Amino acid sequence: MTASRVRARKNKVLRSVFETDVSQPTPTLPTTVSGEAFGGPLASAASAAATARPASTARHANVSSLHPATDQVRWDRAWHTVTSRVQLPTSVTVEDSFGIVAPESRDGGDSSFYESLAVVLNASTAAPRAAHTEDILLWHTQQVRQHFVHHVLPLLAACAVQGDHAQVLLSSVQTLEAAHRQYLHVLTMIVRGIKDEAARGHAVDKFKRELHAIVGNSWARGLTEALHGMMLRLLAVILGPNRDKVAEGTGENDENRVSAARMEFLNLLDSLANVGLAGDKFQVLFAKIMDSCMNDFIHQTYAGIWSALNADGSINPSASSGCMDHLCDWAENHYGRLAVQVFNRLGGQVAWADVERWRDIAIGRLASLRMQELFDIVLQWPESKGGLEDLRSAVATPQRRLHLTDTFAASLQKRLLHPGRSTLDILQTYISMIRTFHQLDSSKVLLDRVVHALQLYLCQRDDAIRIVVTGLLSNPDSMKNDEGKTRLVELGVLMNEVSQQQRVHVEDEDLDWDDMTWVPDPVDAGPNYKRPKNEDVVGTLISALGSQEIFIKEFQMVMAERLLSKQASFQQEIKVLTLLKKRYGESALQNCDVMVKDIYDSKRVDAVLRKTLGASNARRSHSMTYRSKILSRLFWPSLPKEPFKVPAPVAEIQAQYETGFEQLKTSRKLGWLDHIGSATVQLDFRDRSIEVECKTYEAAVIYAFQNDEDSAHSDSQRRTFNELWEMLMIDEDMLESALRFWVSRRVLRDTGNQTYVVLERLGDENGAVTAGQDGTSVVGAAEPPAHSSPRKAKIDPKEQEQRAVYWQFIVAMLTNSSPAMSLGQIAMTMRTLFPDLSSWSNEELQEFLGDKVADAELEFSGGKYRLPKK
C-alpha cells in the first residue's frame, strides 16, 4: 500500500510538471452507421462527388472543401493515420525496450501516410475550415515525455544501482542512446513532410533541445555518483601533480597514461553530449571537480616545496625564485587547455579572460597555502626564500594582507607563545620574523600587526633582556659551535656587519629630503606609522623588550659581569658599546665608558702595587699571587656585598694592598668585594694533588680544613657546618653551596649530621673516618646516618626515560614560568599535566628533586627550588 501511494504521488507530480493530456490517435466523432464510411454521411457524399469528377477537380476539392464538417473529418482522419503510425510502444521488453525501428524504404512506399502527414502539417491550407487542429511536433514531444517518464526512467534507475562506475555509465548511455534513436526516428518521419529546409532544421533543433532538457533533469543519484567518480579519476591523471616524471625515468609512460586518460575523458564527454547528459548539471559537476583538482594539485605539488620547479616538475635548488611561474604555466597550458577542449565539445567557447581568471584563482590558493606555511617559512629562513617570494607576489591587496596577518598571529599563539618554548627559541624566531617580514613587506606594516602579542609575552620573561644583551656581546666566531646553540649569537654577528658600523644616530629619519626611493605610506598603515630605513633587527628587537632605560640598565649589569671575568681582552664588548652609543647617544652609556676605563686603569694600578707586594711576598715561606680590579663605586651597578672572613694570608696581603693604594691615590679608600673574585687552589692529599679553580668563598671554606704543621694527628680535617659558619662568618647559602662544590669534586665527604671530612684517599669514599680513644684516625666501615635513606633500587629504563621527561618539564617551568617554585607548586603543576605522576608522593618528588640538587642541577634556598646561575 505504501509503494502504491508513493507511485501515485510521483505520477501526480509528473502530471503537474508535464502536460499529459495528449490527443489520442483516434479522433472523437459520432458513431457511424453500419456500412458508412469513417466520418459519417457528409464524408460519404463528398467521397462520391469526388469520384464522379475528374482527378484534378477531386484533388482541388480535397484541398478546399465547401463544408466545414468535411474539412474537420479530413483532418481527423489524417491525424488518426499519422499518430497511429508514429505512436511509441506502450510496453517495455528486455529484448527491445523501444520497439523496432522501421526501415526507410518501407516509409517511402507508404503514400497514404505522407498524404495524411501533409494534411496534418498544412492544416491551414488542406483543411482551412477544420475547427480543431493540433501541432504534430508538439504532440510528439509530449508523448516522448510520457514515454521517457514511464519506460526510460525505470531502466535508468536500474542501471544506477550497479556497483562499478564504468558499468553504470555504459549501461545508462546505451539506454539513452536507444531512446534517442527511437525518438529521433519518429521525428525524422514527421519532418519529411516539411518542405522548407530551414523550418525542418529549426524543428529538429528545437526537439533536440527539449529532449536534452528532459534527459538533463532526470539524473539518478547513482548516475551522479558514478560520473563524479569516473571524472575525478580521469582528471586526477590529466591534471595531477605527477604528470611529468622525466627525472625518475618514467616520463614517457606517464605521458602515455595522461594521453590515454585525456582521450577516454573526451570520448566520455562526447557520449554524454549525444544523449543529453552534458547539460547544466554536468557543467556544475565538472566545475566542482576541476576546482577540487586545482586544490589537490597546489597542495600536493607545492606544500613544503619552497624552491623553484623545472618544467618537468623536479626541484631546482639553485633558483632563488618560488613556484609561481610553474603554477602559472600549469594553469594556462594544462588546466586551461583541458577546459578549452571540454567547452569546445559542449558548444561553448573559452576566452583568454577566463584563463586569466583561473590563473588568478590558482595564485590566490597558492597564497593561502603559503600563509598557512608562513610560520615554517620563518623558522627555515633563509632556505625558505622561494616560498616567501610566492607569498610576496600574491599578497597585493589589503584583504589578503589582513588574512595573512590573522593566520600568522594564530600560528604564533599556538606554536610559540607558551611555556614549553624557551626564551632563546622565542627570540631566535623573532629575529627570523623581522628578516622574513622585511623581505615580504619592507614597510613593516605586516610585522607591526603580528608582533604585539609576542612583545607582550617577551616582557613577561625575566631572562629576555639578559639573553639579548648576552647575544650582543657574544663572539661571532662561535656561531657554529655549541655556544651558538645556547646563546643568541646571531645578534653578535649582526653587530659586526658593515651596515651597523656605518650607522649614524639621527633624531628623525623621515626628514630626508634627498631620498630618491621615497614612496607613499601603505594604505593599511596605522596613524602612528613611521617608515623604517632598513630591517634593523637589533633595533626592532631591543625596542620590543621595553623602554630604552631598562635595556641600558641590563646592559650595564651584563657588561659588569663580563668585565669582572677572567677574559684577557674586551674587544667585542668595546665594539658593541661603540655601536650602541651611535644608536642611543654618548650620554646614555656614559657609565659603561667609565666601567671600561676602570678595568684598563686598574691593570696599571695593580701592576704598580704588585711590584711593591712582591718584595714582601718573597720573604714569606708560601708565596701567593694576588690581583685585583679597582672599580669606581658611583658608576658601576650596585654589586651585592656578602662578607666573610678570608684566610689570614689573604687578609695580610689585602692590608698591604690598601696601604699601597692609599699612598698612590690620596683621599681614596678601597672596599673589598671578596665573594665576587676567584681563586686557584693547590690541594695536596696522601694519594694525589689537584689544582682547582673556584670562587673566593669556596677557597675560604676548603682552607678551613687545612691541618696545622704542628698538629698533624689532630682532628682538624673534620668540620661541622656550624663550626665552619662560626669560623668564617659566611652566609649559610654560600657555605652550603661551597660544601656541595667540594663534595662534587671528591675533596670532601659528607658523613652525615652536617659533618664533612677531607677525603685523603679516594679508596676511603665508602668508609667512615672515626676517632679512636687514643686520638688516632681509624678507617672502617660506617653505618649510614639516621637521616640518610637506604641505597636506592635500580631504576628500569622505562622509569628512567619517564623521569627524564619530568626533569625536562621542570627545567622548562623554572626557565619560562617562574625562576623559583616551591615543592607544592611543582607537584600541583606536574600532576595536572602528567596523570602518571599521581602515583608519586610528595616525599618521592622531594627525593627526586633532592637528587638534582646533589648533582648541582638545582638549587634549594628559602624553601624554593631554582636553577643554578651559569
Side-chain angles (χ1 to χ4, degrees):
M1 293 296 294
T2 303
S4 301
R5 287 197 297 269
V6 171
R7 191 179 299 109
R9 186 175 299 175
K10 287 184 177 180
N11 292 334
K12 183 178 181 180
V13 172
L14 290 173
R15 283 194 301 270
S16 65
V17 177
F18 302 106
E19 184 179 354
T20 58
D21 297 333
V22 185
S23 299
Q24 300 301 319
T26 304
T28 303
L29 295 174
T31 305
T32 57
V33 183
S34 178
E36 267 186 13
F38 184 77
L42 295 177
S44 301
S47 177
T51 305
R53 300 194 205 108
S56 58
T57 307
R59 286 194 297 271
H60 179 73
N62 288 334
V63 175
S64 178
S65 302
L66 298 177
H67 200 283
T70 304
D71 289 347
Q72 184 65 50
V73 170
R74 181 179 297 108
W75 186 90
D76 290 341
R77 288 180 175 179
W79 178 263
H80 175 73
T81 302
V82 172
T83 55
S84 298
R85 179 68 179 277
V86 300
Q87 186 179 15
L88 295 174
T90 58
S91 62
V92 179
T93 60
V94 177
E95 294 79 6
D96 186 8
S97 302
F98 307 108
I100 301 175
V101 179
E104 192 169 339
S105 59
R106 178 179 172 185
D107 295 339
D110 194 350
S111 58
S112 61
F113 170 75
Y114 287 105
E115 289 178 357
S116 299
L117 181 62
V119 174
V120 172
L121 291 174
N122 302 299
S124 59
T125 57
R129 297 183 180 272
H132 176 73
T133 59
E134 291 188 26
D135 187 354
I136 187 62
L137 294 174
L138 179 61
W139 178 87
H140 178 57
T141 302
Q142 292 172 347
Q143 79 156 348
V144 164
R145 288 178 178 175
Q146 286 188 354
H147 187 274
F148 187 86
V149 170
H150 291 95
H151 303 296
V152 180
L153 281 182
L155 292 179
L156 291 177
C159 295
V161 298
Q162 300 179 13
D164 185 44
H165 290 169
Q167 187 61 36
V168 170
L169 291 177
L170 179 61
S171 57
S172 299
V173 170
Q174 289 178 348
T175 301
L176 291 174
E177 285 177 347
H180 274 66
R181 285 195 300 270
Q182 178 64 41
Y183 299 157
L184 292 177
H185 173 70
V186 173
L187 178 67
T188 303
M189 294 173 60
I190 294 175
V191 298
R192 285 177 185 173
I194 301 176
K195 304 303 181 182
D196 188 3
E197 293 292 338
R200 182 187 302 175
H202 177 71
V204 173
D205 294 340
K206 181 180 178 182
F207 177 79
K208 287 183 177 180
R209 287 195 302 269
E210 294 182 356
L211 178 59
H212 287 177
I214 296 172
V215 175
N217 291 316
S218 304
W219 284 52
R221 180 178 179 181
L223 177 61
T224 304
E225 294 176 354
L227 186 58
H228 181 274
M230 180 67 69
M231 290 174 61
L232 189 61
R233 179 180 65 83
L234 295 176
L235 293 181
V237 176
I238 300 172
L239 301 175
N242 298 322
R243 63 185 186 283
D244 296 317
K245 298 183 179 179
V246 179
E248 301 178 6
T250 60
E252 184 177 355
N253 295 334
D254 192 66
E255 289 181 0
N256 295 335
R257 186 168 61 93
V258 172
S259 300
R262 186 184 299 273
M263 185 61 65
E264 182 180 356
F265 176 73
L266 294 179
N267 291 335
L268 174 63
L269 180 61
D270 292 338
S271 301
L272 296 176
N274 291 333
V275 297
L277 290 177
D280 294 340
K281 287 189 176 181
F282 169 81
Q283 295 179 20
V284 171
L285 182 62
F286 175 71
K288 290 181 179 179
I289 296 176
M290 289 287 284
D291 181 77
S292 176
C293 288
M294 178 183 289
N295 281 333
D296 293 342
F297 175 82
I298 291 174
H299 282 81
Q300 296 176 15
T301 306
Y302 305 119
I305 304 299
W306 300 319
S307 300
L309 299 180
N310 297 321
D312 59 354
S314 60
I315 299 176
N316 183 11
S318 61
S320 59
S321 60
C323 306
M324 193 63 68
D325 294 338
H326 186 270
L327 177 62
C328 292
D329 176 75
W330 176 84
E332 295 175 3
N333 299 325
H334 295 272
Y335 191 90
R337 173 190 172 191
L338 179 63
V340 169
Q341 292 176 337
V342 170
F343 279 98
N344 286 342
R345 280 171 166 75
L346 295 180
Q349 292 182 351
V350 176
W352 176 248
D354 297 328
V355 178
E356 290 181 339
R357 186 164 58 253
W358 295 332
R359 182 190 61 196
D360 293 340
I361 293 174
I363 291 174
R365 292 181 181 176
L366 178 62
S368 299
L369 175 63
R370 294 295 185 237
M371 290 177 192
Q372 297 173 2
E373 297 177 338
L374 184 54
F375 190 83
D376 296 315
I377 292 175
V378 169
L379 295 180
Q380 299 296 328
W381 179 263
E383 289 79 7
S384 58
K385 188 175 182 180
L388 194 67
E389 290 296 324
D390 293 338
L391 196 57
R392 187 170 63 87
S393 59
V395 181
T397 62
Q399 292 77 13
R400 286 186 178 177
R401 289 163 64 90
L402 181 60
H403 180 54
L404 181 145
T405 53
D406 292 343
T407 304
F408 184 80
S411 301
L412 194 68
Q413 194 73 33
K414 180 180 180 181
R415 300 179 58 180
L416 187 67
L417 305 182
H418 56 80
R421 298 298 292 268
S422 65
T423 307
L424 181 62
D425 291 341
I426 296 175
L427 290 171
Q428 288 175 338
T429 305
Y430 190 15
I431 293 174
S432 298
M433 284 174 55
I434 296 171
R435 292 174 169 175
T436 305
F437 276 80
H438 180 74
Q439 294 292 326
L440 181 62
D441 175 34
S442 60
S443 67
K444 209 177 178 180
V445 173
L446 298 182
L447 180 63
D448 291 340
R449 288 182 182 173
V450 301
V451 82
H452 293 297
L454 189 146
Q455 291 176 350
L456 181 62
Y457 192 78
L458 278 177
C459 293
Q460 301 173 3
R461 295 289 183 101
D462 298 333
D463 57 342
I465 301 179
R466 175 168 288 270
I467 292 176
V468 171
V469 174
T470 306
L472 290 173
L473 298 175
S474 300
N475 186 3
D477 298 333
S478 62
M479 183 72 179
K480 297 181 180 179
N481 55 26
D482 294 338
E483 185 180 352
K485 299 178 182 178
T486 58
R487 291 188 178 183
L488 208 61
V489 187
E490 296 93 332
L491 294 180
V493 176
L494 289 173
M495 293 300 289
N496 285 270
E497 292 181 353
V498 179
S499 60
Q500 296 290 334
Q501 306 289 339
Q502 298 176 350
R503 182 181 177 87
V504 179
H505 178 67
V506 180
E507 294 296 335
D508 193 352
E509 294 184 351
D510 288 338
L511 299 178
D512 188 0
W513 305 104
D514 297 328
D515 185 8
M516 302 304 296
T517 62
W518 181 89
V519 293
D521 294 342
V523 295
D524 51 352
N528 297 324
Y529 171 73
K530 185 177 181 181
R531 179 179 305 280
K533 289 297 181 182
N534 48 41
E535 65 179 11
D536 191 17
V537 176
V538 176
T540 305
L541 188 59
I542 292 175
S543 63
L545 300 176
S547 64
Q548 174 181 325
E549 291 75 13
I550 297 176
F551 171 77
I552 293 177
K553 184 178 179 181
E554 187 67 30
F555 179 78
Q556 291 176 356
M557 292 292 296
V558 177
M559 190 80 168
E561 295 176 3
R562 299 289 291 268
L563 293 175
L564 294 177
S565 65
K566 288 188 175 182
Q567 289 182 213
S569 63
F570 304 97
Q571 295 180 359
Q572 179 68 13
E573 288 76 4
I574 296 174
K575 182 185 297 185
V576 173
L577 178 60
T578 304
L579 296 175
L580 290 179
K581 285 193 295 184
K582 291 182 179 180
R583 184 180 297 272
Y584 298 115
E586 296 280 347
S587 60
L589 296 163
Q590 180 183 3
N591 289 357
C592 294
D593 279 335
V594 176
M595 291 162 56
V596 174
K597 183 177 181 298
D598 284 345
I599 295 300
Y600 284 99
D601 290 345
S602 65
K603 288 183 178 180
R604 294 190 295 269
V605 174
D606 182 70
V608 173
L609 294 178
R610 280 192 296 112
K611 288 182 181 180
T612 305
L613 297 176
S616 60
N617 288 336
R619 295 190 295 268
R620 299 176 184 277
S621 59
H622 53 276
S623 61
M624 181 182 298
T625 304
Y626 194 87
R627 293 183 176 87
S628 65
K629 293 182 179 180
I630 304 171
L631 316 178
S632 299
R633 179 176 59 87
L634 298 178
F635 294 91
W636 284 72
S638 57
L639 301 175
K641 292 184 178 182
E642 299 290 346
F644 62 92
K645 186 177 181 180
V646 299
V650 177
E652 183 179 353
I653 294 178
Q654 285 181 348
Q656 296 177 4
Y657 207 96
E658 291 179 8
T659 303
F661 179 78
E662 291 176 0
Q663 293 176 356
L664 185 63
K665 301 284 186 178
T666 58
S667 70
R668 296 182 65 182
K669 292 185 179 181
L670 294 178
W672 297 96
L673 299 174
D674 296 316
H675 66 287
I676 297 180
S678 61
T680 303
V681 180
Q682 179 77 29
L683 301 176
D684 295 327
F685 301 93
R686 294 180 182 179
D687 62 343
R688 68 196 186 281
S689 296
I690 62 174
E691 185 175 308
V692 181
E693 194 170 317
C694 60
K695 298 177 182 179
T696 52
Y697 64 88
E698 292 171 345
V701 170
I702 199 60
Y703 187 83
F705 285 85
Q706 179 172 272
N707 279 334
D708 296 334
E709 295 179 358
D710 56 350
S711 58
H713 298 287
S714 66
D715 198 26
S716 59
Q717 286 189 317
R718 176 188 300 273
R719 296 282 186 269
T720 64
F721 186 89
N722 292 332
E723 290 175 353
L724 293 171
W725 179 75
E726 293 176 357
M727 185 185 304
L728 300 177
M729 299 302 292
I730 190 174
D731 181 75
E732 293 182 359
D733 292 338
M734 293 176 59
L735 177 58
E736 184 179 359
S737 174
L739 291 172
R740 285 200 307 266
F741 173 78
W742 292 116
V743 170
S744 65
R745 300 303 297 264
R746 303 174 72 185
V747 173
L748 297 179
R749 183 167 58 87
D750 185 3
T751 62
N753 295 326
Q754 292 187 332
T755 304
Y756 297 87
V757 179
V758 176
L759 192 63
E760 288 287 349
R761 291 187 178 91
L762 294 178
D764 297 340
E765 288 179 289
N766 297 326
V769 179
T770 60
Q773 295 179 356
D774 55 354
T776 61
S777 298
V778 181
V779 180
E783 294 293 333
H787 69 277
S788 62
S789 60
R791 185 177 298 274
K792 297 179 182 179
K794 186 177 180 181
I795 303 176
D796 58 13
K798 185 176 181 181
E799 178 69 17
Q800 191 72 24
E801 182 180 356
Q802 192 72 15
R803 292 192 173 199
V805 175
Y806 295 158
W807 172 241
Q808 292 297 328
F809 182 77
I810 292 172
V811 172
M813 281 197 303
L814 296 177
T815 302
N816 304 327
S817 296
S818 177
M821 299 180 71
S822 63
L823 176 66
Q825 291 174 325
I826 296 176
M828 181 181 64
T829 306
M830 293 188 64
R831 287 194 178 101
T832 302
L833 297 177
F834 297 100
D836 298 338
L837 196 67
S838 58
S839 60
W840 279 24
S841 63
N842 284 353
E843 290 75 13
E844 290 175 327
L845 180 59
Q846 185 177 14
E847 181 181 357
F848 174 72
L849 297 176
D851 293 341
K852 296 300 179 181
V853 172
D855 296 338
E857 297 183 39
L858 270 182
E859 291 182 354
F860 183 72
S861 176
K864 292 187 177 181
Y865 295 90
R866 69 183 73 230
L867 295 175
K869 295 183 179 180
K870 298 181 180 179

